[in-house]
Amino acid sequence: MRLLPFIASAMVTIGLVAVLNTQLSIGPTKSPKLGYFLSPQHGFWKNAEKVNTNFDASIIADELKGNVDVYLDDRLVPHIYADNDQDAYFVQGYLHAKFRLWQMDFQTRVASGRLSEIAGADKLSIDRFFRRLGMVYGAEKTEANINANNPEMKETVDAYTAGVNAFIKQMDPADMPFEFKLMNYAPEKWTPAKTYLFLMFMSYDLTGRSAASDLQLTNTRDFLGYDLFDKLYTNKQDSLDPIIPKGTVYQKPSIVPIKPAIADSAYLHQTNASFTNNESPEAPNKNNGSNNWAVSGSKTKSGRPILASDPHLGLNMPSLWYEVQITTPTHSTYGASFPGSPAVIIGFNDSLAWGVTNAGRDVLDFYEIKFKDSTENEYWYNGKWNTAEKRIEVIKVKDSADLVEQIPMTVWGPTMYDAHYQNPQSKGRNLAIQWTAHNASTGAETFYRLNRAKNYDDYIKAISLWTCPGQNFVLATKSGDIAIKQQGSFVARWERQGDFIMPGDDTTYAWQGMIPGEENPTIKNPERGFVSSANQKPTDPSYPYYLGTASSFPLYRGISVNKHLIGMSNITAQDMQALQTNNDNVFAATARPALMKYVQVDKLSPDAKRMVDEMNNWDLVNSEHSKGITVFEIIWDNVTEAVWGDELAGSPIALTKPDDFVLVDQLLKDSNWSVADDIRTKGKMENLKDQVTLGVENATKKLLALEKENKLEWSLFKATRVMHLTKIPALSRMNLPIGGGKNIINATTEMHGPSWRMIVHLTDEIEAYGLYPGGQSGNPGSVYYDTFIDYWAAGKYYRLLFLAKEKLIQNERTKWHIQFKKSNA
């Protein structure tokens, strides 16, 4: 009889062992292997870091040429002191891996279309999108070019790669980052290709919106017809305050692109009214942009320049950025680095500071092609059938068979959409993609050179290497220079070229050349005493090249920045902090009175009148507790829907909405605007007064619901959050108490905003401040995981320690020492 209990116990034990070593299905996802995940020796418990963790360490590495000292300050920022550059980048790679390994692995998996390997078939749509976009293709070309032609950069990336792999090799599997355990996979060896893939991903994040917007604009034109489209999507911005001041005289263009004679009929007025419905592409946030500016000594209290930079990107944890100081005999540089790439990306050295904002220029186009037959082995180009070589991309899928993509390569580039891959916006077309990011890039060298730059000439030489995505590089030097240049490999376009899908059957619509770098918009030491950019158009219409559709260039942050800078004098670093976190709403300052011209107050319901009063009593500041901004935003959104929602109604796929400035300009100009009429109502002609009043009433319904939920305060309505890359709320910071918003210098929206605030005062001993919304550690179990977020939300800054080794050792904020020693073997 004793045997039966033994057998029963053994069966339960075997079953439990099996369960604990199996990933269980939980809805569309799977659990980790619970036995390993919950193990006290190896599981997630090991990632719970002690509050008083000692980070002192001594590390032996065969790859080093000499010894390297790293001092960690009270914010866990490493200060690297090395006798040569390669050892410094080896250590940077090691530290990136030590504190951000899972993030580095995950982001490059996304970029290379390899999520399905770890997450299964549910992620195939993302993987297919990035494979067909040509992310791996572009990274391969950059790597081949650097390996063949740039031994200095090859040595740099190789040293960084060796550092990453040295950490992976030394890492105890029990200390593997939490997310690897959660998702049940292990890190793989780092390669230089992964660094180039990460840089490709940043190109996509800042220019890849064209991969969706060009298609959507084409379909919007098709749906509305070009004449109405041209009214609602005008490229004229009457209120523009450009990066380069109005009235600047530009040199005669060296390239004058010629518009094809048939473009009006075969391109601008062409329509394709068929619609399909499949999966949508992954589109970067439209608001990916930034602010940067530099003021000369003529406007500062000290008489020395001050530079400010705050790139606006997705708010993620772990953060995109990792703070670091790198000091070698060739340079001493501090700033924000990318985990996955060597050097400092935005920062300063002992001679100058630099920052970047997104240029918004169109560097990606679609061409419609015709295949000979379903094999897609040949396509029609220049009067004959041409061979389409097939690029084979194998997507491995967890718990499923591999998916093999055979991508036809054309004269334009890879065929992104064809019979095997479509989305609602591609509408059954065969579309090849031409993107400057597919060309071999020298962009990594830009930051390598900026880290070592000493003056304006060095800055110009460094950024001349930058190709994609287009960026506005701002500069301030200790010697007193300030400058800004829009740099990238920009297409010399005729007006509207590339705004829509172009015919690809011959060279008629091909790019006719690239704008020479010396003709890119540039200004140095202007009389007004400052330079600035906030993603607006770089120039007024006198610039001789077409810049692209106006929807790529937000207006109002640039107006606000320049308005403040013009009125400032005796500026200090603290004044620049206040400006970076400024919440003034210059858009509403123009739009609110324009709206009120048309509100028929006597026709409003009592609740609507109350909401209008709330909006009118608002101080035009997007502060955390304001209710007026919430009321304004919802009224504005409902008015725009009332005005042109009828024109866009009826489409089975999403269309591009006109920009806010279009409606503001019309409200200020023309009360009889024909677009105001609702084409769905027969026998009635609505005007702007009707539609604005209707919009207010519709908004009131939503506002009353928010009021009932106690969510009228701006921060409660906006609900800014910093999400973990897995989108798990428990690993994220939710509902942050912060103001800001779209069109605001403090451009903080729901999951997007200032990702690295930096102020650099170029005094003899540099005075610098900065922070990002996250923490230096990528481990959710560390106190350094989200250390900076509360300060960031409150608009506070940390003083950055930029010191020589001897002074840093003696500084009270220096906490730990990691010694890297060359092996004696």
Side-chain angles (χ1 to χ4, degrees):
M1 293 297 293
R2 294 178 180 176
L3 187 59
L4 290 177
F6 171 77
I7 294 173
S9 176
M11 291 180 67
V12 169
T13 301
I14 293 169
L16 185 59
V17 168
V19 168
L20 291 176
N21 284 279
T22 302
Q23 286 189 276
L24 304 177
S25 295
I26 306 174
T29 61
K30 288 188 175 183
S31 73
K33 290 182 178 179
L34 296 178
Y36 177 80
F37 188 67
L38 298 175
S39 164
Q41 291 79 29
H42 305 286
F44 77 94
W45 314 100
K46 292 285 289 182
N47 299 108
E49 194 174 275
K50 294 179 181 179
V51 173
N52 60 346
T53 294
N54 184 355
F55 292 98
D56 288 342
S58 181
I59 295 162
I60 307 299
D62 294 338
E63 298 87 349
L64 290 173
K65 298 178 181 179
N67 297 335
V68 181
D69 286 307
V70 177
Y71 294 91
L72 296 167
D73 66 28
D74 54 349
R75 296 191 300 116
L76 209 65
V77 175
H79 303 258
I80 301 169
Y81 300 92
D83 293 334
N84 62 81
D85 290 346
Q86 286 67 47
D87 282 357
Y89 293 129
F90 173 91
V91 170
Q92 185 184 19
Y94 186 100
L95 294 172
H96 278 171
K98 177 177 175 65
F99 293 107
R100 300 290 190 84
L101 181 59
W102 177 79
Q103 170 192 4
M104 294 164 64
D105 180 275
F106 184 79
Q107 288 178 329
T108 53
R109 282 183 182 276
V110 173
S112 58
R114 295 181 57 204
L115 277 184
S116 299
E117 287 185 31
I118 59 173
D122 288 343
K123 302 302 179 185
L124 266 175
S125 61
I126 297 174
D127 287 350
R128 297 188 73 193
F129 176 79
F130 283 116
R131 296 293 183 105
R132 285 185 162 264
L133 183 62
M135 298 288 281
V136 178
Y137 170 66
E140 287 174 352
K141 293 182 75 171
T142 293
E143 183 176 19
N145 177 61
I146 287 177
N147 288 348
N149 302 308
N150 197 329
E152 190 173 24
M153 285 310 300
K154 182 181 186 304
E155 189 176 35
T156 296
V157 176
D158 285 350
Y160 178 86
T161 298
V164 176
N165 288 328
F167 173 78
I168 294 173
K169 182 179 179 180
Q170 294 178 12
M171 179 181 65
D172 184 335
D175 295 327
M176 190 165 57
F178 166 80
E179 293 90 346
F180 285 114
K181 299 173 184 177
L182 180 69
M183 300 177 74
N184 194 41
Y185 78 107
E188 61 186 14
K189 190 175 181 181
W190 193 260
T191 65
K194 289 177 179 287
T195 291
Y196 302 124
L197 270 166
F198 177 77
L199 296 175
M200 275 292 296
F201 188 74
M202 293 312 301
S203 291
Y204 165 75
D205 202 33
L206 295 172
T207 68
R209 186 172 166 270
S210 290
S213 64
D214 285 5
L215 304 188
Q216 195 161 302
L217 271 181
T218 300
N219 294 329
T220 305
R221 177 207 61 186
D222 292 351
F223 190 78
L224 297 176
Y226 183 73
D227 292 336
L228 178 57
F229 175 92
D230 201 39
K231 288 181 182 179
L232 296 182
Y233 304 84
T234 176
N235 282 327
K236 296 177 182 177
Q237 294 179 319
D238 295 340
S239 303
L240 174 67
D241 191 350
I243 295 171
I244 309 301
K246 290 180 179 179
T248 299
V249 177
Y250 300 99
Q251 68 184 79
K252 187 177 179 180
S254 55
I255 301 174
V256 181
I258 299 171
K259 178 181 176 181
I262 61 171
D264 284 346
S265 59
Y267 174 60
L268 295 179
H269 291 271
Q270 183 202 26
T271 61
N272 180 341
S274 65
F275 291 89
T276 60
N277 192 13
N278 289 299
E279 295 180 70
S280 298
E282 303 294 316
N285 192 303
K286 179 181 179 180
N287 296 313
N288 280 351
S290 306
N291 304 320
N292 64 21
W293 60 81
V295 292
S296 72
S298 65
K299 290 181 73 68
T300 67
K301 186 175 182 178
S302 68
R304 306 295 285 272
I306 302 176
L307 180 142
S309 183
D310 61 307
H312 305 157
L313 295 165
L315 302 178
N316 295 317
M317 295 176 70
S319 170
L320 176 69
W321 303 106
Y322 179 84
E323 271 184 71
V324 65
Q325 178 182 345
I326 301 173
T327 299
T328 76
T330 66
H331 69 296
S332 184
T333 306
Y334 189 110
S337 66
F338 284 147
S341 181
V344 167
I345 305 302
I346 297 176
F348 57 93
N349 60 33
D350 46 15
S351 299
L352 54 78
W354 73 94
V356 296
T357 66
N358 197 26
R361 301 278 288 276
D362 186 5
V363 294
L364 183 156
D365 288 335
F366 282 103
Y367 288 88
E368 185 167 11
I369 57 177
K370 176 184 177 182
F371 288 115
K372 185 176 183 179
D373 53 42
S374 61
T375 66
E376 298 184 351
N377 290 329
E378 295 178 273
Y379 67 101
W380 187 256
Y381 180 72
N382 276 348
K384 64 177 184 179
W385 294 109
N386 293 261
T387 300
E389 300 291 341
K390 298 292 181 65
R391 178 179 173 84
I392 308 300
E393 296 263 3
V394 179
I395 302 176
K396 295 186 177 299
V397 185
K398 184 177 181 179
D399 299 328
S400 188
D402 296 350
L403 176 69
V404 179
E405 292 279 3
Q406 299 188 46
I407 304 172
M409 303 298 291
T410 71
V411 66
W412 310 111
T415 303
M416 186 165 182
Y417 298 106
D418 60 12
H420 307 289
Y421 181 74
Q422 289 285 320
N423 73 51
Q425 299 291 344
S426 56
K427 290 170 43 177
R429 300 178 176 101
N430 298 313
L431 299 176
I433 187 171
Q434 186 171 22
W435 185 17
T436 58
H438 286 158
N439 302 328
S441 171
T442 54
E445 189 175 357
T446 290
F447 300 113
Y448 180 88
R449 299 296 173 197
L450 281 173
N451 281 215
R452 292 157 175 74
K454 299 298 182 184
N455 50 46
Y456 174 82
D457 290 341
D458 289 347
Y459 148 86
I460 289 294
K461 290 175 184 176
I463 68 174
S464 68
L465 298 166
W466 186 259
T467 54
C468 182
Q471 297 287 288
N472 302 304
F473 287 87
V474 70
L475 168 78
T477 71
K478 276 189 175 180
S479 60
D481 287 328
I482 60 171
I484 194 166
K485 179 172 184 177
Q486 186 164 99
Q487 179 59 31
S489 184
F490 299 125
V491 183
R493 300 179 181 274
W494 39 269
E495 188 163 354
R496 289 287 192 189
Q497 183 183 11
D499 289 358
F500 315 116
I501 296 168
M502 294 187 286
D505 52 3
D506 59 27
T507 59
T508 301
Y509 295 87
W511 295 351
Q512 297 176 28
M514 309 305 288
I515 300 172
E518 60 271 18
E519 294 179 36
N520 286 336
T522 310
I523 191 167
K524 177 186 178 186
N525 296 331
E527 290 184 11
R528 64 183 183 178
F530 71 87
V531 295
S532 71
S533 70
N535 313 118
Q536 74 269 46
K537 278 190 175 183
T539 71
D540 64 19
S542 65
Y543 183 66
Y545 294 103
Y546 179 59
L547 297 170
T549 176
S551 63
S552 299
F553 303 102
L555 271 174
Y556 299 101
R557 273 185 294 109
I559 292 171
S560 188
V561 168
N562 289 351
K563 177 183 176 182
H564 283 281
L565 289 175
I566 287 170
M568 296 176 75
S569 60
N570 292 315
I571 298 170
T572 65
Q574 287 67 38
D575 294 330
M576 295 291 88
Q577 292 176 21
L579 184 53
Q580 269 192 342
T581 56
N582 181 276
N583 289 322
D584 292 352
N585 195 323
V586 296
F587 168 68
T590 301
R592 184 175 67 180
L595 277 175
M596 290 309 300
K597 284 173 54 181
Y598 298 94
V599 176
Q600 300 174 84
V601 177
D602 59 317
K603 295 184 178 181
L604 292 177
S605 66
D607 282 326
K609 288 179 182 178
R610 181 166 61 87
M611 293 303 174
V612 168
D613 286 343
E614 182 78 48
M615 179 181 74
N616 284 331
N617 291 328
W618 168 46
D619 62 1
L620 296 174
V621 177
N622 284 27
S623 54
E624 174 190 344
H625 299 295
S626 172
K627 295 180 180 179
I629 171 56
T630 307
V631 174
F632 170 78
E633 283 286 322
I634 293 179
I635 286 178
W636 180 261
D637 288 346
N638 280 268
V639 168
T640 60
E641 177 64 24
V643 171
W644 48 55
D646 55 315
E647 276 79 16
L648 302 179
S651 171
I653 59 174
L655 300 178
T656 303
K657 293 184 178 180
D659 286 296
D660 288 339
F661 77 84
V662 177
L663 182 55
V664 171
D665 288 349
Q666 287 301 326
L667 290 173
L668 294 172
K669 288 178 184 176
D670 186 2
S671 61
N672 295 315
W673 194 32
S674 60
V675 174
D677 178 46
D678 190 334
I679 59 177
R680 296 168 295 192
T681 59
K682 304 300 181 183
K684 182 181 179 182
M685 179 70 74
E686 290 85 2
N687 57 33
L688 280 173
K689 287 188 175 182
D690 297 325
Q691 302 296 43
V692 170
T693 303
L694 174 63
V696 172
E697 286 290 358
N698 289 341
T700 299
K701 299 172 187 176
K702 299 178 182 179
L703 290 165
L704 289 173
L706 286 172
E707 190 174 52
K708 188 175 181 180
E709 297 172 16
N710 196 30
K711 289 186 177 179
L712 268 187
E713 286 192 7
W714 182 232
S715 65
L716 299 178
F717 172 73
K718 181 161 61 81
T720 295
R721 52 192 179 272
V722 185
M723 292 297 295
H724 189 270
L725 290 170
T726 60
K727 306 302 181 188
I728 297 174
L731 304 180
S732 309
R733 287 292 302 274
M734 313 294 285
N735 301 311
L736 295 173
I738 188 170
K742 185 178 69 170
N743 299 318
I744 311 301
I745 296 176
N746 179 22
T748 308
T749 58
E750 185 182 8
M751 292 189 292
H752 192 271
S755 64
W756 162 243
R757 291 185 180 133
M758 181 184 78
I759 308 288
V760 185
H761 189 187
L762 288 138
T763 45
D764 289 341
E765 185 171 318
I766 285 178
E767 176 190 6
Y769 302 86
L771 83 170
Y772 58 84
Q776 287 288 93
S777 176
N779 175 15
S782 169
V783 294
Y784 297 98
Y785 175 64
D786 60 355
T787 327
F788 311 150
I789 288 182
D790 291 335
Y791 249 53
W792 175 84
K796 297 179 181 180
Y797 289 74
Y798 296 105
R799 178 70 184 261
L800 306 181
L801 288 181
F802 179 57
L803 298 171
K805 181 178 176 179
E806 295 74 18
K807 288 187 176 181
L808 189 85
I809 292 172
Q810 297 171 6
N811 193 282
E812 62 180 10
R813 289 176 55 191
T814 302
K815 300 300 181 183
W816 302 283
H817 180 206
I818 303 177
Q819 294 177 298
F820 286 83
K821 298 180 179 179
K822 178 177 174 59
S823 171
N824 293 322

